[in-house]
Amino acid sequence: MTKQAQGVDTDLPGKPTSASRTTLSHIMTGSDTNLLGTVHGGVIMKLVDDAAGAVAGRHSEGPAVTASMDEMAFLEPVRVGDLVHVKAQVNWTGRSSMEVGVRVLAERWNESTPATQVGSAYLVFAAVDADGKPRPVPPVIPETERDKRRYQEAEIRRTHRLARRRAIKELRARRAAEDPEAP
């Protein structure tokens, strides 16, 4: 879908999904573990945010900040000695925001078995200028059928994010009107 079809004005040329796609790989060590002896979820989340930030910065050709993490699913534990691959790509773009999809895979560092998916996440980034104000981003151009599916799914997630935000604001406004002293 084009920016014009979305009702978004931009003079920036579109960029294909592959232009900013990246993989970050990291071997997990003992300093990455939690009390159970597996890799701490926060370590994985930082890798996810790092990879997604790199993709958002590449796509927008400048600074981009994490606005939200829609979902982080941990599917399997990650162990010390696992080589973790964090694959990220821009799924959707708005005026100044981008949804980045991330897949986390792990494999043993010293084995030739295929990597297995251990997690996934969706993050929203906002492109910002030197003053921290939103700036326009190029439209993303889905290249494959998988990219097109991800784009459509990202639009659904965006609709749900906005509806959830609106419902929370309305609830808070009603509660404030009923009891102005409530926190």
Side-chain angles (χ1 to χ4, degrees):
M1 179 176 282
T2 65
K3 288 288 187 178
Q4 289 72 28
Q6 295 175 42
V8 176
D9 268 339
T10 184
D11 293 329
L12 299 173
K15 292 175 77 173
T17 307
S18 61
S20 56
R21 188 179 289 143
T22 195
T23 300
L24 174 85
S25 296
H26 188 78
I27 194 160
M28 298 292 108
T29 65
S31 64
D32 299 319
T33 60
N34 59 27
L35 296 174
L36 298 175
T38 56
V39 173
H40 195 287
V43 170
I44 301 299
M45 290 174 75
K46 182 177 183 331
L47 294 173
V48 163
D49 192 43
D50 287 347
V55 165
R58 279 182 175 183
H59 184 82
S60 67
E61 299 177 2
V65 296
T66 311
S68 69
M69 181 180 273
D70 238 18
E71 180 178 318
M72 177 75 214
F74 297 100
L75 306 173
E76 298 284 337
V78 177
R79 303 171 293 157
V80 170
D82 280 352
L83 180 57
V84 172
H85 308 286
V86 183
K87 298 176 175 281
Q89 75 170 48
V90 173
N91 290 336
W92 177 90
T93 54
R95 275 185 291 274
S96 61
S97 64
M98 301 158 273
E99 183 196 89
V100 179
V102 181
R103 286 182 15 161
V104 183
L105 303 138
E107 62 181 312
R108 295 306 292 166
W109 70 274
N110 60 347
E111 297 176 7
S112 60
T113 55
T116 58
Q117 186 171 352
V118 295
S120 65
Y122 298 102
L123 298 89
V124 176
F125 279 78
V128 295
D129 63 18
D131 297 321
K133 303 291 184 204
R135 63 181 176 82
V137 299
V140 67
I141 302 169
E143 298 173 277
T144 67
E145 287 305 313
R146 177 181 274 182
D147 292 341
K148 291 173 186 171
R149 175 187 52 80
R150 287 177 175 160
Y151 187 99
Q152 291 171 326
E153 290 172 356
E155 287 184 317
I156 293 168
R157 283 187 292 274
R158 180 176 186 272
T159 299
H160 286 257
R161 275 193 302 276
L162 295 174
R164 183 177 60 237
R165 184 180 303 147
R166 189 171 40 256
I168 289 170
K169 283 183 178 181
E170 289 170 1
L171 177 63
R172 287 180 180 172
R174 280 196 310 271
R175 287 196 174 163
E178 293 169 3
D179 183 5
E181 305 272 331

